[in-house]
Amino acid sequence: LMSNNKSPTSHWELTCDPSTCATTDSALVDAEKPTVALVAEFLEHIVANNDARLATGVEDVCTTSFHAETNPGIVMTAYVERLNQFSGASPCAFMLGMIYVDRALLQMPGFIVSSLSIHRLWLTSLLVASKFLDDTYYSNKHWARVGGISLKELNSLEVHLLFLLSFHLSVSPLEYAQYRSTLQASVFETRAESQSMSTESHSTLNMKTVPTIDSTAETHCAAA
C-alpha cells in the first residue's frame, strides 16, 4: 500500500499507545469517530485503483492465505462499517489496524491489496488491534461470524499475522498522530483529485504523500 518513501509516516508504522488511546474520556472518543470513515474511504479507494490495475493484466498476482477464491461481494466501505457496528473495536483500534496492515505488507512485497485480498487481511488486523488496545473485546468466534469466515480460518490468520508482525504491536503516540494526519490528508487529496478530474485519468494515488502500492516492487510473496 505504500511507496518507498522513507519518511516516518510513509510506511504506516504507527500504533496507538494504550495509555493514550484506551480512555473513556468523551471528548477523545468524539474526536476519534471520523477515524472509521477515513479508514473506510481510504481502503475503498485503494481497492478500486488496484482492481483496475489487475484487470489490465499487467500485474503478476501472487496469492496468500489472506486471499479469497472469489470476490466476497461486499465493498470495503460496507465491510468496514459492518465491523464498526458489530465488532466492538474502538475507533483508535481501527487506525491501529491500518498500521498493522502496512507492517504486514512490508513483509509481503508482492502482495497487492485488492477486492480478493483486503477483507481477510483487514479483519485479522483489526482483530489483533482490538485485542491489543481495547479493555474488552469479543471472542474470535464472534469476530469470525461478523467477518464472514470460519473460526478455524480466522485463528490461523491471526497467528500468521502475528508472525508477520514479529509480535511488534506498539508504537508511540506521536507516530500515531502523524499517521492519522497523513491518512486524513491522503483522503482529502483524493477527494480533491476526483472533483478536479476532467479528461485526465489517475490510476494511482500521489506516491509522495499517500500510502499506495509500489508499482516497481518485485512481485513475490515472501513469508506469505
Side-chain angles (χ1 to χ4, degrees), residues 87-90 126-140 142-143 158:
S87 72
S90 66
L126 184 59
L127 165 67
V128 172
S130 182
K131 285 186 174 182
F132 175 74
L133 178 66
D134 297 332
D135 292 334
T136 59
Y137 51 83
Y138 285 111
S139 66
N140 279 25
H142 176 86
W143 277 84
E158 181 183 12

Side-chain angles (χ1 to χ4, degrees), residues 108-111 214-221:
M108 303 183 292
F111 188 105
D214 176 11
S215 60
T216 65
E218 179 184 358
T219 301
H220 60 94
C221 292

Side-chain angles (χ1 to χ4, degrees), residues 179-199:
Y179 187 85
R180 189 181 189 284
S181 177
T182 297
L183 182 65
Q184 186 174 34
S186 301
V187 170
F188 289 167
E189 180 178 348
T190 300
R191 290 176 185 172
E193 287 181 356
S194 298
Q195 293 173 357
S196 63
M197 190 181 304
S198 54
T199 58

Side-chain angles (χ1 to χ4, degrees), residues 2-11 106 208:
M2 290 296 306
S3 70
N4 284 330
N5 190 312
K6 300 300 183 181
S7 66
T9 58
S10 68
H11 288 103
L106 289 175
K208 293 182 179 179

Side-chain angles (χ1 to χ4, degrees), residues 101-116:
V101 169
D102 193 57
R103 288 182 173 181
L105 292 179
L106 289 175
Q107 305 305 315
M108 303 183 292
F111 188 105
I112 297 179
V113 172
S114 69
S115 55
L116 288 177

